[in-house]
Amino acid sequence: MTAPLRLCFVSSHGQLGGAELALETLLGHVPRESIAAIAVLGPGPLLPRLRASGLPATGIGLENRAQLLLAAYALRRLVRRSRPSVVHANGFRAAFVATLALLRLDIPLVWQKHDLAREGRITNWVARRAAVVVGVSRAAVETFAYDPRVQTVVVRNGVSNRDVDRARGRALVAEAVDVQAETRIVGLVGRLHPGKGQLELLEVMPDLRRGGNDTRVVFVGGADPTEPQYEQRVRERVDELELTSCVSFLGHRDDAAVLISGFDVLAVPSVRDPKSGWREGFGLAAVEALQAGTAVVGYASGALPETLGDCATLVREGDTAALAAALADTLTTADPERTERGRRLVREQFSIERAVATLSTVYVEAAAE
């Protein structure tokens, strides 16, 4: 951080999705003296985690739309007390609430946009009132390409450098799931939500296990409170396909990155959510897999082709036959050159130091306007 700015960060949710984990990583690398305040909208484990790290985090109740104005009023009071130079809104809900809270206050808003959900008039209204919209990918801000009133910049999420011990990762998987040494592990890391593609992966499992192959699916991620029935649908489909013995649900895990290093393949069969229009705006778990040397197979959905390039095997969204073939091929054929390309991509494009340095410039420019 090159300028003595005071920053107020606002998280859209208290639950731990990719956007929240990316924010947590970012906060761990921003100088403490620059963090004036942090507001977490809604319940969940993010608030106590931030407080445990010694960060000045405040919870603001927001469980439904009826509480939006109350949340904006609470955020406005927090902003007036903490007097930040810039407000950083992490996600659309945070940006919407912050836009209301900052009305008639001379404080610039930086909106970090993580996905492609609910794009339309309200999204455009918020974007035009932000000093800048920071997309975690080009795809995340493509909706504003032809609006001269919206300033955008792409700053990809950063991941922390970590020593990868794949043997330790495999041991952790074996501890969590009863598997044999020869068992092939396909993992999917993400909240239980239709867009994350758990049902897509289940549909190809009978093909992967044909011929007696010992292949197991491990789902890492908790239930999404916005889709309370989805977990039940996934579990019912496991029963219908007679996959109970080879599918495991681990829920949310703080050690997900270590588990990823113990998978043979990370699957990212993400699809567009028909209700919200959500699509992958980055693919944090996939980037962590590249860093760990774990092969990635999924759909060419949202920003995934942009983020992963030729370091992953991506097939047409919804093509389960192609997904099954790609998974089968990847499980049986190692590609060390692709693995090394993936690790190099993470080092060169997705370091947290690079992200913090670029965002620092964004904050300074926003404050100077």
Side-chain angles (χ1 to χ4, degrees), residues 34 92 119 142 208 222 335:
S34 294
F92 171 72
E119 295 181 339
E142 64 184 2
L208 295 181
D335 190 342

Side-chain angles (χ1 to χ4, degrees), residues 175-216:
E175 180 183 322
V177 181
D178 184 17
V179 296
Q180 304 301 315
E182 66 275 10
T183 302
R184 310 185 306 181
I185 304 294
V186 179
L188 193 162
V189 177
R191 68 194 189 282
L192 293 170
H193 183 280
K196 290 296 184 179
Q198 286 87 1
L199 288 173
E200 300 284 321
L201 182 55
L202 290 178
E203 294 305 316
V204 307
M205 274 298 290
D207 288 338
L208 295 181
R209 289 178 58 81
R210 192 163 289 126
N213 289 314
D214 185 11
T215 304
R216 184 145 193 166

Side-chain angles (χ1 to χ4, degrees), residues 206 209 236-247:
R209 289 178 58 81
E236 288 174 350
R237 191 58 180 151
V238 170
D239 293 338
E240 292 165 0
L241 293 171
E242 299 181 347
L243 297 173
T244 306
S245 64
C246 61
V247 176

Side-chain angles (χ1 to χ4, degrees), residues 257-322:
V258 182
L259 286 168
I260 287 172
S261 69
F263 298 155
D264 294 293
V265 176
L266 180 80
V268 282
S270 302
V271 295
R272 182 183 184 277
D273 178 28
K275 290 202 311 188
S276 68
W278 178 93
R279 289 181 289 153
E280 286 283 4
F282 183 73
L284 182 61
V287 169
E288 291 178 328
L290 296 185
Q291 183 183 48
T294 298
V296 178
V297 174
Y299 286 151
S301 177
L304 292 177
E306 173 192 338
T307 301
L308 306 176
D310 64 355
C311 299
T313 302
L314 301 177
V315 302
R316 183 172 59 86
E317 182 177 333
D319 190 341
T320 53

